[in-house]
Amino acid sequence: MERMEQLPQQSVGYYFLRSKDVHVEDRRAFITFFIRLTRETSFKKRRKTDPNSGHMGGHR
């Protein structure tokens, strides 16, 4: 079974997205509101140290 790597949470943001719809039935106007709550989470991945080079992994 593959093990999931846990990433340290950096920030969480909550956003409301809203919209409005108007329609008419039998000469009566109806207004409908739609609201959605969105959660946005950002993570920061730690880089591994390369023991052979003495600096952080990655290309220069």
Side-chain angles (χ1 to χ4, degrees):
M1 176 182 278
E2 186 176 329
R3 185 176 175 194
M4 300 264 313
E5 180 182 350
Q6 288 191 343
L7 300 175
Q9 183 175 316
Q10 189 171 9
S11 67
V12 177
Y14 293 90
Y15 305 95
F16 280 106
L17 303 173
R18 59 189 172 143
S19 63
K20 179 177 78 169
D21 183 41
V22 178
H23 70 279
V24 178
E25 287 182 26
D26 297 326
R27 298 186 313 179
R28 294 174 62 192
F30 293 89
I31 301 173
T32 306
F33 293 97
F34 301 94
I35 300 174
R36 176 175 43 192
L37 175 64
T38 302
R39 178 181 173 189
E40 185 177 277
T41 307
S42 64
F43 296 93
K44 188 171 188 176
K45 186 173 182 178
R46 294 186 201 135
R47 296 196 302 171
K48 296 179 182 177
T49 302
D50 184 351
N52 298 324
S53 67
H55 68 276
M56 299 299 280
H59 297 288
R60 287 188 166 198

